[in-house]
Amino acid sequence: MANMKKIDIKTINSYKGKPREKQLEIAIGDNLWLFVTKTGSCIFRYRVYFTTNLTIDGKIKVIRNWITIGEYPAISLSRAKYETATFNNYKQQGINPIDKANTEVINGVSVSSLISDYETNQLRSVRKVGNSLRKATYNLNYIKKILGNHVLGDLKRVVIFDKLIQPKLDEALLAAARDIFSQMKVLLNYAVKLDHIETNPLSAFTVNDINLPNGIVRKGFETVGKERERVLSDDELRTVFSDVYGAKIYLPIKIAIHLLLMLGFRKGELLNIKWSDIDFEQSLLSISVDKVSKPLTTKIPAQAIKLLKILQIVNGRKEYVFCMPTKNTRMAYTIINKWLTELFVTSNKLTQNLTVHDLRRTFATSLADLDFDRQHIEFQLGHSLMGSQKHYYHAEFLEQRAIMLQFWADKLDGFIPNEVNPYNKSYTRSSICLKIE
């Protein structure tokens, strides 16, 4: 709903850069409006209400739309008023202001301004509700954070790739890289439609150009990085569970591998869990996330609770959950990779060697392929967040992530052979402490 208020530079500065719960739309006068977005961007827009000579079923056609003048302070208030006066003059001459705007594009339109325009006039017409809308909103916020201050006319392909796509490839998050690429391409097509730019610098490329083995990107993108992109197939998951739980190794190592795949934690995050971090009654687990200052609280699946209770039999009196049988210190970081190498590299049962990060990558990519919300996956992975969200990181999307993790844990159960299923066995402290079971 519009607010009528006298607007001056002091007022605009009081809105600039301050997040708010709802977008604010303020009528300045003479069809000039100020849009204050949820993220604190201040956008000048001209309201088009133009009566044409055309008729539809005997009724005069009226054009109602918006023209984005630009974002403050790249576009000043006085410049916005000047452009408004120009558009009003066109109307008096019987000229549609939109037609003139399409041939007289105002300089200085930023990526942030374009995103605000797209969210207001386009987003909900192409992304109705649900995961699709949330995913688009998340990707747009990510793009705004990275490229928001760039002017559209100066935006080059190499900048888009280096700043938007490559960081996701470095983390081996191919699904995220493809999502962001697709959203950026759609956004730039919208900019072309508005005549903010003449051509889309990404028009010659598809998502397949950033979906190649070993992180190589071709067709005009410079070859960059050779990050692993290993994601386990269903057959490989069956092999992993069969060989891990069938191996004659210390049971807590087996459970650690299982939980890494189930919860998406980093190796250090899992091995540093203490019994004091677990609330068995509420099924809550808090971990210290490597790259974020606040802990990550997760409502863990029923299967994870069962596995942790097995570990209580042998390590329940110790500080750390994952300890070696004769010591009160946590398990060494190297021991999991050591056993993954011993189990799968020497046996040649998998097409490639298996690392801990392959488990984490399988977790992320599989959930994305199952169409779970990208933002929920990113939170569970412990990736740093944008804007004010980082202040609420420790319990964000708790219930949504719980549903996602329970679904994934149930799916993993289908890959565990009955003869080695850990949930079907009885354990004693002496049997768990044996290296050969």
Side-chain angles (χ1 to χ4, degrees):
M1 181 177 291
N3 292 284
M4 301 298 295
K5 186 175 182 179
K6 183 179 178 180
I7 294 295
D8 54 22
I9 298 299
K10 184 178 179 180
T11 304
I12 298 175
N13 285 331
S14 70
Y15 293 132
K16 180 70 177 173
K18 297 179 180 178
R20 55 192 313 108
E21 291 185 1
K22 295 182 180 180
Q23 178 170 278
L24 190 61
E25 300 173 8
I26 306 171
I28 298 176
D30 293 329
N31 297 314
L32 176 62
W33 289 63
L34 176 69
F35 280 53
V36 183
T37 68
K38 293 180 180 180
T39 58
S41 297
C42 295
I43 314 295
F44 293 115
R45 290 196 172 99
Y46 177 82
R47 184 178 182 181
V48 178
Y49 187 91
F50 183 71
T51 303
T52 71
N53 295 325
L54 301 175
T55 60
I56 301 177
D57 297 330
K59 297 181 180 180
I60 297 176
K61 181 181 179 182
V62 177
I63 297 175
R64 295 180 176 87
N65 209 331
W66 294 92
I67 296 174
T68 297
I69 295 176
E71 182 176 355
Y72 177 84
I75 298 296
S76 65
L77 177 59
S78 59
R79 173 65 185 275
K81 289 181 176 179
Y82 170 81
E83 299 297 342
T84 297
T86 301
F87 290 139
N88 286 333
N89 185 52
Y90 291 145
K91 285 180 60 178
Q92 293 174 3
Q93 299 176 42
I95 301 172
N96 184 352
I98 295 176
D99 293 338
K100 297 298 291 185
N102 286 340
T103 57
E104 299 176 7
V105 180
I106 301 168
N107 293 326
V109 177
S110 67
V111 173
S112 179
S113 176
L114 175 68
I115 290 174
S116 298
D117 188 311
Y118 180 81
E119 290 175 329
T120 301
N121 297 313
Q122 190 76 12
L123 179 58
R124 288 188 178 272
S125 66
V126 295
R127 305 284 187 182
K128 302 295 184 183
V129 292
N131 285 344
S132 179
L133 179 60
R134 287 193 293 270
K135 182 185 292 185
T137 301
Y138 176 75
N139 288 334
L140 288 169
N141 286 337
Y142 176 78
I143 293 170
K144 182 183 290 188
K145 176 192 175 186
I146 304 301
L147 297 178
N149 293 328
H150 285 68
V151 175
L152 286 170
D154 297 334
L155 199 57
K156 305 300 182 184
R157 170 182 51 77
V158 66
V159 174
I160 296 170
F161 182 79
D162 287 348
K163 293 194 173 184
L164 281 184
I165 310 301
Q166 185 59 38
K168 295 299 180 184
L169 288 179
D170 288 343
E171 296 183 73
L173 295 173
L174 297 182
R178 293 198 302 266
D179 284 347
I180 292 165
F181 170 84
S182 297
Q183 187 63 68
M184 190 66 194
K185 188 174 181 179
V186 168
L187 193 63
L188 292 174
N189 282 337
Y190 184 65
V192 172
K193 181 180 178 180
L194 297 179
D195 279 340
H196 290 325
I197 53 177
E198 292 184 2
T199 60
N200 184 342
L202 301 181
S203 60
F205 309 102
T206 70
V207 292
N208 292 329
D209 296 316
I210 54 169
N211 189 29
L212 302 176
N214 299 321
I216 297 175
V217 181
R218 63 186 178 195
K219 281 180 142 181
F221 287 125
E222 294 181 7
T223 299
V224 292
K226 292 191 177 180
E227 298 291 327
R228 286 175 60 91
E229 296 177 6
R230 177 82 179 285
V231 175
L232 295 173
S233 67
D234 288 356
D235 287 340
E236 287 178 318
L237 284 170
R238 292 187 184 92
T239 298
V240 167
F241 280 116
S242 176
D243 285 20
V244 166
Y245 277 118
K248 296 179 179 181
I249 59 176
Y250 186 43
L251 181 61
I253 298 174
K254 303 178 185 182
I255 292 177
I257 294 171
H258 192 167
L259 289 176
L260 286 170
L261 188 54
M262 183 190 298
L263 303 176
F265 292 161
R266 298 176 178 89
K267 176 176 55 181
E269 294 164 356
L270 182 77
L271 296 183
N272 278 307
I273 295 174
K274 300 177 181 179
W275 291 111
S276 59
D277 297 327
I278 306 169
D279 181 342
F280 282 100
E281 289 187 4
Q282 301 295 324
S283 298
L284 295 177
L285 169 62
S286 295
I287 64 166
S288 298
V289 181
D290 289 353
K291 299 182 180 180
V292 180
S293 58
K294 291 189 176 182
L296 171 68
T297 299
T298 298
K299 192 170 185 179
I300 57 178
Q303 292 91 328
I305 292 293
K306 291 179 181 179
L307 294 174
L308 289 170
K309 286 184 175 180
I310 293 172
L311 293 180
Q312 270 190 317
I313 298 172
V314 63
N315 289 335
R317 295 182 180 180
K318 299 178 181 179
E319 181 181 11
Y320 289 93
V321 172
F322 293 94
C323 294
M324 296 306 288
T326 59
K327 298 180 181 179
N328 193 26
T329 55
R330 64 156 178 78
M331 196 179 290
Y333 290 153
T334 57
I335 196 166
I336 297 178
N337 272 335
K338 171 183 178 295
W339 279 108
L340 288 176
T341 300
E342 186 165 326
L343 285 172
F344 299 111
V345 175
T346 56
S347 67
N348 293 318
K349 287 188 176 181
L350 298 178
T351 56
Q352 302 178 43
N353 65 307
L354 184 64
T355 69
V356 169
H357 202 73
D358 293 336
L359 305 179
R360 181 172 160 87
R361 191 181 304 108
T362 298
F363 169 90
T365 303
S366 298
L367 287 174
D369 290 343
L370 291 168
D371 204 30
F372 280 99
D373 193 302
R374 167 57 57 183
Q375 195 169 9
H376 301 164
I377 300 171
E378 295 270 353
F379 270 87
Q380 184 59 31
L381 290 170
H383 291 158
S384 58
L385 305 176
M386 299 176 287
S388 61
Q389 288 177 327
K390 62 188 176 184
H391 301 301
Y392 308 99
Y393 176 79
H394 60 289
E396 193 79 17
F397 302 128
L398 184 66
E399 293 302 324
Q400 296 95 323
R401 288 187 286 120
I403 294 170
M404 176 181 73
L405 290 176
Q406 187 60 61
F407 183 95
W408 177 237
D410 292 343
K411 185 176 178 63
L412 289 178
D413 283 352
F415 301 123
I416 306 175
N418 288 332
E419 60 270 19
V420 295
N421 193 318
Y423 312 123
N424 299 335
K425 293 186 175 184
S426 297
Y427 298 95
T428 63
R429 190 176 189 280
S430 59
S431 68
I432 292 174
C433 288
L434 290 175
K435 179 178 179 181
I436 299 177
E437 299 178 273

